[in-house]
Amino acid sequence: MDTFASFFDSKSASGNRWSYDSLKNLRQISPVVQTHLKQVYLSLCCALIASAVGAYLHILWNIGGLLTTLACVGSIIWLLSLPPYEEQKRVSLLMAAALFKGASIGPLIELAIDFDPSIVLGAFVGCAVAFGCFSAAAMVARRREYLYLGGLLSSGLSILFWLHFASSIFGGSMALFKFELYFGLLVFVGYIVVDTQDIIEKAHFGDLDYVKHALTLFTDFAAVFVRILIIMLKNAGEKEEKKKKKRN
C-alpha cells in the first residue's frame, strides 16, 4: 500500500508542477531530433493527402478492394526492404502505399458520404485532434516514460487478431463487434503515444529514417480514423432507425 501511495503522491506532485510552459519545454529533445520530427510530420501530412486522393479515385472509378490492399502491403514491404539512402524511391513508395490505403478504405468512406457527408469530416477532425493531443503528450512527457506500454499494446493487438480470426470462422455477435471496435480504438490510440516516443528515442540514438517513421504514424492514424468513422456511422445509423420506428 505504501508503494501505491508513494506512486500516486509522485504523480500528483508532478501534476501540480504542470503549467502551460511545460507544453513549450522541448529541451529534452535536441535540435537534430526536432528537425527530424518536422520531416516526419511533413511526410505524414503528404501521405494523408495521398490517401485522400486514393479515396477520391475510388469514388470516381471504384478501384478500392483486395487489389489495392495487396498493392498497399506490397509497397510497404518494398519500402522497408530498401536502404535509407534511396530516399526519393522510398518517399515515392510511401506516397503509393498511402494512396492505395486510401483507395482500400474508399468503400467505407463512400458509404459514409452517401449516408451523411459530415460524418467523414467529423471522423477526420476527431482523429486529427486525438492524434495531435496524444502525440503532444508523448513529446512533453519524460523520455521513455510510455515505452513500457508497448508490450501491453502488442498483447492487445494479438487479442484483436485472434478475435477477428475466430469471428470470421465461427461468426460473431454484435457485442463482439463493438468490443473489437472500441478496444481496437483504444489500442491504436495507445500506439500513437508509444510510437511517438519510440521515434524520438530512436532519433536520439541516430536513427533518422523519417520515411519509415512517417509510415509508422500513418498506419496509426489510418487505424484510428477507420474505427472512429465506423463508430460514427454506426451511431448515425442507429439514430436513423430510431427515428423511423417513431414515425411508424
Side-chain angles (χ1 to χ4, degrees), residues 3-245:
T3 304
F4 285 106
S6 61
F7 172 79
F8 286 111
D9 289 341
S10 63
K11 287 294 182 181
S12 61
S14 61
N16 292 332
R17 292 195 300 270
W18 187 90
S19 64
Y20 174 73
D21 293 334
S22 65
L23 291 176
K24 301 182 290 183
N25 182 17
L26 297 178
R27 286 177 294 178
Q28 62 176 348
I29 303 179
S30 65
V32 174
V33 178
Q34 291 183 32
T35 302
H36 172 68
L37 290 176
K38 291 178 183 178
Q39 289 181 311
V40 170
Y41 284 102
L42 179 60
S43 301
L44 174 62
C45 291
C46 293
L48 292 177
I49 294 172
S51 183
V53 172
Y56 181 69
L57 292 177
H58 167 78
I59 294 173
L60 288 180
W61 296 317
N62 195 27
I63 62 174
L66 179 61
L67 289 179
T68 55
T69 302
L70 294 176
C72 177
V73 174
S75 300
I76 292 174
I77 294 174
W78 190 4
L79 186 157
L80 296 177
S81 65
L82 291 175
Y85 61 82
E86 296 191 28
E87 184 176 346
Q88 292 184 351
K89 186 181 292 186
R90 298 175 83 244
V91 170
S92 300
L93 286 171
L94 173 63
M95 297 303 125
L99 187 142
F100 289 132
K101 181 65 177 179
S104 299
I105 63 177
L108 177 63
I109 294 176
E110 186 176 17
L111 177 64
I113 291 175
D114 291 339
F115 188 85
D116 185 359
S118 64
I119 293 177
V120 179
L121 180 61
F124 180 79
V125 171
C127 181
V129 170
F131 187 90
C133 290
F134 283 100
S135 292
M139 291 180 189
V140 173
R142 294 191 304 271
R143 285 177 56 184
R144 299 184 295 272
E145 185 174 8
Y146 296 114
L147 291 182
Y148 74 94
L149 293 174
L152 295 175
L153 294 174
S154 298
S155 300
L157 194 62
S158 177
I159 292 171
L160 283 174
F161 172 78
W162 287 112
L163 283 176
H164 183 72
F165 179 75
S167 62
S168 63
I169 295 178
F170 303 106
S173 62
M174 181 56 66
L176 181 60
F177 173 74
K178 287 184 178 180
F179 174 78
E180 289 183 28
L181 196 60
Y182 287 96
F183 184 67
L185 178 61
L186 179 64
V187 167
F188 283 105
V189 164
Y191 266 117
I192 293 174
V193 179
V194 173
D195 287 338
T196 302
Q197 282 213 325
D198 185 53
I199 288 169
I200 294 173
E201 197 61 26
K202 286 180 178 178
H204 274 288
F205 285 97
D207 184 1
L208 301 177
D209 188 355
Y210 70 91
V211 180
K212 184 176 69 175
H213 295 166
L215 175 64
T216 301
L217 294 180
F218 173 77
T219 304
D220 296 339
F221 191 100
V224 173
F225 171 74
V226 167
R227 282 159 178 79
I228 291 178
L229 182 59
I230 293 174
I231 291 171
M232 293 183 66
L233 188 59
K234 182 177 176 299
N235 292 338
E238 290 178 352
K239 289 180 181 179
E240 191 68 22
E241 288 181 3
K242 289 180 180 179
K243 288 181 180 178
K244 288 181 180 179
K245 290 180 180 179

